[in-house]
Amino acid sequence: MSSFLDTNSERALILAPQGRDASVAAGILREGGLIAEICSDLQKLTQEINEGAGLAVLTDSVIRNADIRGLSAWINSQPPWSDFPFIRLTQRGAGLEHNPAASREMAALGNLVFLERPFHPTTFVSIVRTALRGRLRQYEARARLEALHASEAQARSAGDALRRLNENLEARVEERTAELAAANRQLVAQIEERQWVESTLQQLQRLEAIGQLTSGIAHDFNNLLTVVLGNIGFLEKANSISNDSKLRQRLFHMRLATERGAKLTSQLLAFSRRQRLQPKPFDVNKSLENIKDLLPSALGGGITIKTQFRPGIWPALADPTQIELIVLNLVINARDAMANEGTITIETSNAKVGPPERPEEPAAGDYVVIGVDDTGSGMTTEVLAKVFEPFFTTKEIGKGSGLGLSQVLGFAKQSGGGIRIKTRVGEGTSVKVYLPYAAEKSVLEGSALVTDPTHIERRSAVILLVDDDNAVREVTAAILEETGHVVLKVGSGGAALDLLDQHTKVDLVLLDFAMPGMSGVEVARQIQQRVPGLPILFVTGYADKAALGDVAQEGLIKKPFLDDELTTKVSAALMKDAPRFSDKIVVPLRR
């Protein structure tokens, strides 16, 4: 038991003057490992309780025939921490529901438990142990109160001593107090900084683990989508002969769902920051219209959403797959600032801005602007100064990661734009994301050079296909063979190098980036050493920004294959006179 208790404090006192009730009850408790003492009368019981006990066991006759005023007086005089437990052994049918006197006895004794006879010894021991456990908790509360009072007394004593010392040495004490306070502030600051660093490190480790898991899942899922989407293409071509309208409609829905899955995996990779951005011109108004209907379910019924998509918005030059994530981050921040009640306005506009005044603002130039305004609580100057710091948040613990605005800023800056925030405490906040403006002329020229397959001459070639996934390898080979190419299929980097040694006539290598054993990068280096100048295209469902940083966009084909990307890029790589691609077909790799 607890160290602050003596043996008396754990006793079970038994008052049962008639028959063998007292000795039987004491024997049961002692066999159960408890301390039991028998009292001869009510006066003796009250005396023993005063000396210390854990609980008392009484029989019907004690309460019914004795004067309990002395015991009641002791019960009523208990200190605030005490609620002494009593267990009354009653005859069958003598409980509260049949015995009005039992209610009066409960009012007199307070913490009273009725146990009808006959009872099992285990039941009796269990009830006594439960009552004793409650009493021990009361003793613990007493000890804490006594310790608190002692601490208060010690504090008062120390205060008195300090006041007495102040009378004689006030100046010296003030000087020493100031030194201690400064040292304490410095220590607190160091502790807080260490805690912040440790918390940040843990967040980064968790994010890294989530990123690795997410990218691995996305890679495997993209392989599955490649097989599904490739076979859908084959079925569509087969159906073009029979022209079954119902089958064509079903295939269309299958393709739509599969491409949606590809978009979801792209967003997963973007969240884990393992996908490099692919900026291209896009219509901001159209992108926001596509996600507008998804926002109410994320905000709750008390939030009103307004949109102001102005006509004549310039095309923006950024990665359109990230817009949904960026706007959702801003809208959720706005919702939290309004306590689930208010108005959020999403708007678009064109803007010409001057030189930046803050690091997060865009450089001077023309931009397409996405604005999210709220009628929430606004931000103080202190909060605004830290709002872009990773992991900084004003939300409760567990309600936010503090990464929302830092992700938005990272996307805007990486895209060549920036962010401006206007806020006022009690009135709301306006966040504007500036994306670079894409001139229409450059858009048209880029589309004609890169995406129009009519500008690319197609010719038959021998292609070495390397992919560890058998299903993906078969689908990819089938697509290429339909366009007239001869495909040599292998499932590993080592097999590819062996086959390349045997077949000197290989026009192009189509290489999976992520493979067990020898990775795509290692295989490509070996190929460059053996056959310098041989074109290499990477195929990947895992677009790691760092690992693929030196690979040109036209040297990379992402899984699943959308539209004619596979055949178009293969044909472009096989062109003998292709000034746009000639310096990038043999992919430069880090050494």
Side-chain angles (χ1 to χ4, degrees), residues 345-542:
T345 303
I346 304 174
E347 60 180 354
T348 60
S349 61
N350 299 326
K352 180 185 286 291
V353 301
E357 298 179 358
R358 296 174 58 89
E360 69 271 9
E361 294 184 357
D366 296 329
Y367 295 92
V368 180
V369 184
I370 300 175
V372 176
D373 302 342
D374 65 64
T375 57
S377 57
M379 291 183 283
T380 63
T381 304
E382 293 78 11
V383 172
L384 183 60
K386 299 181 178 180
V387 75
F388 293 114
E389 294 180 5
F391 308 113
F392 174 77
T393 179
T394 58
K395 301 174 186 177
E396 298 177 10
I397 295 176
K399 295 297 182 63
S401 65
L403 291 172
L405 281 175
S406 64
Q407 283 183 320
V408 175
L409 177 62
F411 167 75
K413 283 295 186 181
Q414 192 175 346
S415 300
I419 296 180
R420 283 182 174 174
I421 295 182
K422 292 183 179 180
T423 184
R424 197 163 185 175
V425 176
E427 296 185 7
T429 301
S430 173
V431 181
K432 297 194 182 305
V433 180
Y434 292 80
L435 301 177
Y437 153 66
E440 291 188 20
K441 182 177 180 181
S442 65
V443 173
L444 294 175
E445 289 176 351
S447 299
L449 285 170
V450 176
T451 63
D452 187 356
T454 62
H455 285 71
I456 300 176
E457 176 188 356
R458 301 183 185 274
R459 68 180 180 86
S460 178
V462 177
I463 299 176
L464 175 57
L465 173 59
V466 188
D467 198 306
D468 63 298
D469 190 301
N470 182 60
V472 174
R473 190 168 63 248
E474 293 299 326
V475 168
T476 307
I479 294 174
L480 295 174
E481 288 168 350
E482 278 195 342
T483 59
H485 298 298
V486 176
V487 182
L488 306 176
K489 298 174 288 183
V490 294
S492 66
L497 296 175
D498 291 341
L499 188 60
L500 197 61
D501 290 336
Q502 300 171 15
H503 293 266
T504 56
K505 181 55 179 175
V506 172
D507 300 304
L508 174 70
V509 178
L510 200 58
L511 187 58
D512 185 24
F513 179 78
M515 294 187 296
M518 187 180 295
S519 70
V521 173
E522 294 170 336
V523 176
R525 287 177 181 159
Q526 294 279 349
I527 291 174
Q528 285 183 335
Q529 292 173 3
R530 300 182 185 203
V531 188
L534 178 62
I536 300 173
L537 294 180
F538 283 109
V539 181
T540 180
Y542 168 61

Side-chain angles (χ1 to χ4, degrees), residues 176 189 219 284 331 392 409 497 532 567:
R176 182 58 179 165
H219 172 265
V284 171
V331 167
F392 174 77
L409 177 62
L497 296 175
T567 55

Side-chain angles (χ1 to χ4, degrees), residues 37-292:
E37 292 191 13
I38 299 174
C39 298
S40 57
D41 52 31
L42 194 60
Q43 182 179 0
K44 178 64 173 178
L45 176 68
T46 305
Q47 179 182 346
E48 292 296 330
I49 291 176
N50 267 320
E51 293 179 2
L55 71 153
V57 180
L58 311 174
T59 57
D60 289 341
S61 59
V62 173
I63 303 300
R64 188 167 48 249
N65 302 325
D67 183 2
I68 63 171
R69 286 179 296 178
L71 181 60
S72 296
W74 181 88
I75 293 171
N76 294 329
S77 65
Q78 293 181 90
W81 59 265
S82 177
D83 189 14
F84 190 82
F86 293 90
I87 299 175
R88 175 181 165 181
L89 307 181
T90 67
Q91 300 296 331
R92 182 180 297 276
L96 290 172
E97 64 276 12
H98 302 297
N99 184 10
S103 298
R104 294 192 297 271
E105 294 168 7
M106 179 170 285
L109 297 180
N111 187 2
L112 177 62
V113 175
F114 291 90
L115 178 61
E116 289 189 358
R117 292 181 288 187
F119 51 78
H120 194 279
T122 302
T123 303
F124 182 43
V125 172
S126 175
I127 292 175
V128 170
R129 284 188 181 277
T130 300
L132 182 58
R133 189 178 300 110
R135 186 59 174 171
L136 293 179
R137 290 293 185 189
Q138 296 174 23
Y139 288 142
E140 290 177 4
R142 177 186 64 182
R144 291 190 177 96
L145 287 172
E146 290 174 351
L148 179 61
H149 293 155
S151 178
E152 291 175 350
Q154 186 178 2
R156 286 193 297 271
S157 176
D160 294 340
L162 182 60
R163 282 191 296 273
R164 288 193 298 270
L165 184 60
N166 261 339
E167 294 175 358
N168 300 320
L169 303 172
E170 183 176 352
R172 185 175 176 181
V173 169
E174 288 181 356
E175 179 182 354
R176 182 58 179 165
T177 301
E179 293 175 357
L180 291 174
N184 186 57
R185 285 193 299 271
Q186 185 178 6
L187 179 60
V188 170
Q190 291 174 352
I191 293 174
E192 290 177 349
E193 182 179 3
R194 179 176 178 178
Q195 290 174 342
W196 181 86
V197 171
E198 291 176 349
S199 175
T200 302
L201 179 60
Q202 292 172 356
Q203 288 273 21
L204 289 173
Q205 290 172 339
R206 282 196 292 269
L207 284 177
E208 177 65 21
I210 292 172
Q212 292 176 355
L213 176 63
T214 301
S215 58
I217 292 174
H219 172 265
D220 293 340
F221 194 54
N222 276 333
N223 278 345
L224 299 176
L225 292 177
T226 300
V227 177
V228 174
L229 201 57
N231 283 287
I232 289 174
F234 296 144
L235 291 173
E236 287 173 338
K237 291 177 183 178
N239 185 57
S240 63
I241 301 175
S242 60
N243 198 23
D244 185 335
S245 59
K246 288 186 178 179
L247 180 57
R248 183 172 62 253
Q249 184 179 15
R250 289 170 181 165
L251 290 173
F252 171 75
H253 289 309
M254 290 170 64
R255 175 175 288 276
L256 199 64
T258 307
E259 291 177 350
R260 175 60 177 166
K263 182 179 179 182
L264 289 175
T265 57
S266 176
Q267 290 172 341
L268 283 174
L269 289 169
F271 167 77
S272 64
R273 297 187 176 185
R274 295 181 179 270
Q275 182 179 28
R276 60 179 180 181
L277 297 180
Q278 298 181 8
K280 62 182 179 181
F282 70 99
D283 187 335
V284 171
N285 284 352
K286 185 176 179 181
S287 295
L288 294 180
E289 283 286 355
N290 291 337
I291 66 173
K292 182 175 66 174

